[in-house]
Amino acid sequence: MTEPPHGGPAPEAPTGPGRWAAAADAQLAALYARIPQVACQGLCGPVDCTDDIGMGPRERQRLRQAGVVMPPRQPTTPAAAAPGPCPALEEGRCSAYEVRPAICRIYSATEGLACPHGCPIIDGRPLSRAEAFALVDAAAAAGTNRTTPSAEAFQRQLDSDAGRMILHQQKRDQRIRRDRFRRPPTTG
């Protein structure tokens, strides 16, 4: 029996090579279908998309199969190094867009996490923060025998992740404003 990368058997003990991955992929597809689609304009930069994101073992494996190796998630401490740019980001677009993890999919599709480039939701309504994190956590558990935490735990984690995203957006905006004032005026 093939086991998922976390070491435990997949739900319903699929048999045969790749069966656990197919079951996890079906779970992920159902979860991803609940996230509103966003009309990405391909304007992301290294401060918009970082390599410090949480994801489940199957999501990480799908990225690896698409040629993108994500570094392990950094501890959330003041001494932790600033996250680097996402290795999937190429010329403002995600090179692994079709297999991107849930945490990337909720960006711009969740209340309070609007895209700084104005990419709009094209179907549905924005997710609440609790809905978004519940989907992210369920996606991380896809194909594993792990149960998902309570709604309160979802909200605490989302507050932490959203706070980090907002902090990155604020730092980017500060750099943009600073750079505008440093440029010499153009004469024409």
Side-chain angles (χ1 to χ4, degrees):
M1 174 161 123
T2 302
E3 291 189 359
H6 71 286
E12 301 173 21
T15 60
R19 291 284 195 119
W20 80 266
D25 289 347
Q27 291 172 348
L28 290 171
L31 292 166
Y32 295 164
R34 296 171 50 194
I35 301 172
Q37 295 294 311
V38 173
C40 178
Q41 299 176 38
L43 300 173
C44 291
V47 294
D48 300 315
C49 301
T50 69
D51 63 359
D52 186 24
I53 60 172
M55 69 185 86
R58 181 59 186 149
E59 289 180 308
R60 186 173 295 279
Q61 185 180 51
R62 288 164 42 120
L63 283 172
R64 204 171 28 252
Q65 289 170 339
V68 177
V69 178
M70 297 295 288
R73 187 141 191 221
Q74 297 296 315
T76 317
T77 65
C86 178
L89 188 62
E90 293 179 4
E91 297 180 16
R93 292 202 178 270
C94 178
S95 64
Y97 193 80
E98 295 302 316
V99 295
R100 71 196 186 283
I103 191 72
C104 299
R105 293 170 188 264
I106 67 162
Y107 189 68
S108 301
T110 303
E111 293 171 355
L113 292 178
C115 174
H117 308 290
C119 298
I121 292 175
I122 56 175
D123 68 343
R125 62 162 180 79
L127 298 169
S128 72
R129 292 164 54 105
E131 288 171 321
F133 192 73
L135 289 169
V136 168
D137 198 67
T144 72
N145 58 2
R146 182 172 72 81
T147 58
T148 57
S150 68
E152 294 81 19
F154 291 146
Q155 189 63 52
R156 283 193 304 273
Q157 182 64 38
L158 184 60
D159 288 343
S160 171
D161 286 348
R164 219 181 15 229
M165 284 181 180
I166 290 167
L167 180 61
H168 291 304
Q169 287 176 345
Q170 289 171 342
K171 286 180 180 179
R172 182 203 62 235
D173 292 346
Q174 287 172 349
R175 280 193 295 272
I176 290 169
R177 283 192 298 275
R178 181 190 64 221
D179 290 346
R180 282 187 192 146
F181 289 111
R182 286 187 178 171
R183 292 185 189 143
T186 56
T187 58

